[in-house]
């Protein structure tokens, strides 16, 4: 989510045209046939030069699973050791804007509304699950929520707009718990659980990339699960008040298996990625696709070759998306039906802004931007 800087009609139109032209050129380079494309790597560029350009975050000890792409210049990272970083110059420099006193917390999700406004989620049992908000680029933070229920464990948060958002917890008393805000994360309330489907035995969310809870449009939200006998995707069309559940055909039946990330380009078309996060285990059928808003899912005909923890649609494309994980990045150009590996670098999460400011982040302080 971002705001156009110009208030003049001509400036706004010119900016959109320029962004559209840049996106079109980059998408054309990304979607050339595999035989011509080469690697989407920092050192192995295809003929058009589109690649992940690794940036120096200055924090090699941190694993970043939370990422918010505002545009090509501005992005936020959230990770281990209570760390939050922000760049406003395309990743050339990163400012440590971590909330004070948070070094024992594990940030796994961050949502940003520009260079100044962001909401970050720390995960864990009981009071380790917290939400922080900043309105001044991270110079100061307000703790707006601290979980007091020892049975709750919050995994992800997502916003519909700059005011309305949700956070989700693993099941409490047999049902997933949903937290809601209507003032941009300044205050939160637990929503009634009576219209949440019962959780399966062992079912939970994965705080792997900040993408186990995602939105599209003003009211639709989806929740990804694993750990149960079946991996599932839950959907609400009324901002989390009522929910339905559908099985997703990805690996399940084990606490390490399930859907780890979702991405929807509109309220009907979505992709799910996941698998088995253990590095010594195979992850066949690690991706699925829906065209009916998550009521049904079908296995990708050619899924990624291994576990994937993050996914994002490329802006201004109806068919192209990226999936990332510890063993690489995969690209689909047919809406999630088939995937091919385009990079072997390790990333946990990926996010794209409307101006094709696509970013990825992961272990050992690793962060990169899609460049050409």
């Amino acid at each position: 989510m971002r705001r156009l800087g110009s208030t003049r009609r001509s400036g706004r139109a010119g900016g959109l045209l320029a962004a559209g032209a840049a996106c079109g050129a980059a998408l054309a380079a990304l979607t050339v046939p595999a035989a011509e494309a080469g690697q989407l790597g920092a050192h192995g560029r295809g003929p058009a030069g589109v690649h992940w350009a690794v940036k120096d975050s200055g924090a090699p000890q941190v694993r970043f699973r939370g990422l918010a792409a505002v545009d090509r210049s501005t992005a936020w990272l959230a990770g281990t050791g209570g760390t939050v970083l922000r760049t406003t110059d395309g990743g050339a420099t990163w400012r440590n804007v971590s909330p004070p006193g948070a070094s024992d917390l594990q940030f796994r999700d961050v949502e940003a509304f520009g260079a100044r406004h962001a909401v970050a989620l720390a995960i864990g049992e009981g009071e380790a699950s917290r939400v922080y908000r900043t309105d001044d680029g991270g110079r100061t933070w307000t703790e707006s929520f601290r979980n007091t229920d020892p049975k709750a464990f919050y995994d992800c948060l997502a916003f519909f707009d700059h005011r309305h958002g949700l956070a989700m917890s693993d099941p409490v008393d047999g049902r997933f718990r949903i937290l809601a805000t209507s003032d941009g994360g300044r205050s939160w309330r637990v929503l009634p659980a009576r219209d949440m489907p019962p959780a399966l035995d062992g079912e939970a969310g994965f705080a792997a990339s900040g993408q186990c809870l995602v939105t599209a449009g003003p009211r639709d939200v989806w929740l990804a699960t694993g750990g149960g006998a079946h991996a599932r995707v839950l959907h609400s069309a009324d901002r989390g008040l009522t929910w339905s559940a559908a099985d997703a055909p990805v690996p399940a039946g084990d606490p390490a298996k399930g859907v780890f990330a979702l991405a929807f380009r509109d309220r009907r078309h979505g992709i799910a990625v996941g698998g088995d996060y253990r590095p010594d285990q195979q992850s066949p059928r690690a991706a699925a696709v829906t065209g009916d808003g998550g009521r049904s899912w079908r296995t990708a005909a050619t899924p990624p070759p291994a576990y994937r923890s993050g996914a994002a649609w490329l802006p201004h494309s109806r068919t192209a998306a990226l999936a990332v994980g510890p063993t690489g990045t995969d690209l689909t150009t047919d809406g999630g039906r088939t995937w091919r590996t385009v990079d072997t670098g390790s990333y946990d999460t990926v996010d794209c802004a409307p101006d094709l400011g696509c970013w990825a982040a992961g272990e050992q302080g690793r962060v990169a931007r899609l460049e050409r």
Side-chain angles (χ1 to χ4, degrees):
M1 286 167 285
R2 66 184 182 96
R3 295 178 180 176
L4 294 171
S6 174
T7 59
R8 298 177 60 185
R9 185 180 301 271
S10 60
R12 186 179 296 117
L16 287 173
L17 287 173
C23 291
L27 285 174
L30 273 173
T31 57
V32 296
E36 302 172 16
Q39 289 287 303
L40 181 68
H43 304 292
R45 305 185 183 194
V50 176
H51 64 290
W52 281 130
V54 177
K55 310 293 183 178
D56 182 7
S57 70
Q61 76 283 6
V62 179
R63 186 164 195 165
F64 292 112
R65 294 184 184 270
L67 167 65
V70 177
D71 52 36
R72 286 185 56 79
S73 298
T74 303
W76 297 70
L77 299 172
T80 55
T83 306
V84 179
L85 304 185
R86 186 196 63 159
T87 184
T88 57
D89 57 11
T93 61
W94 293 85
R95 180 184 174 192
N96 188 330
V97 295
S98 305
S103 60
D104 292 334
L105 300 179
Q106 306 296 312
F107 285 113
R108 295 292 181 94
D109 201 355
V110 60
E111 300 290 326
F113 313 103
R116 295 179 59 82
H117 308 289
V119 179
L121 172 71
I123 62 100
E125 296 179 349
E127 292 192 1
S129 286
R130 305 179 193 180
V131 178
Y132 290 80
R133 176 188 166 91
T134 182
D135 291 308
D136 55 13
R139 284 192 291 273
T140 63
W141 292 84
T142 300
E143 183 186 305
S144 59
F145 172 76
R146 182 180 296 204
N147 174 49
T148 58
D149 189 333
K151 295 179 289 186
F153 186 117
Y154 285 84
D155 299 293
C156 294
L157 59 83
F159 277 78
F160 303 94
D161 52 46
H162 73 285
R163 293 183 58 83
H164 300 92
L166 302 176
M168 59 81 68
S169 164
D170 289 340
V172 176
D173 298 328
R175 299 177 191 271
F176 284 92
R177 174 168 290 180
I178 303 297
L179 199 65
T181 181
S182 59
D183 55 13
R186 294 178 179 86
S187 64
W188 298 83
R189 69 189 188 281
V190 175
L191 295 182
R194 59 180 177 270
D195 291 314
M196 172 68 73
L200 305 177
D201 289 344
E203 190 175 29
F206 291 109
S209 61
Q211 295 173 327
C212 59
L213 186 74
V214 300
T215 64
R219 304 188 69 81
D220 286 272
V221 58
W222 295 264
L223 187 161
T225 83
H230 307 282
R232 299 198 296 174
V233 177
L234 281 61
H235 171 239
S236 171
D238 54 13
R239 291 183 180 168
L241 295 177
T242 62
W243 295 81
S244 59
D247 288 350
V250 301
D254 185 278
K257 298 178 181 179
V259 178
F260 282 71
L262 299 167
F264 276 78
R265 67 172 173 83
D266 55 39
R267 66 189 307 266
R268 294 184 59 82
H269 299 89
I271 51 178
V273 300
D276 189 325
Y277 71 75
R278 295 170 293 192
D280 60 339
Q281 298 296 313
Q282 297 296 311
S283 287
R285 302 178 294 109
V289 62
T290 181
D292 58 12
R295 287 192 295 273
S296 63
W297 294 83
R298 61 186 183 279
T299 305
T302 305
Y307 156 73
R308 294 294 180 252
S309 56
W313 289 90
L314 288 166
H316 314 290
S317 172
R318 297 174 61 85
T319 57
L322 295 168
V324 300
T327 62
T329 298
D330 300 292
L331 171 71
T332 179
T333 58
D334 56 13
R337 289 185 292 276
T338 63
W339 297 82
R340 61 181 173 89
T341 301
V342 292
D343 181 74
T344 56
S346 175
Y347 298 103
D348 292 312
T349 186
V350 60
D351 192 26
C352 292
D355 68 345
L356 204 67
C358 289
W359 299 78
E363 61 184 343
Q364 298 179 344
R366 189 175 174 89
V367 59
R369 189 182 70 176
L370 195 64
E371 295 185 3
R372 60 173 303 169

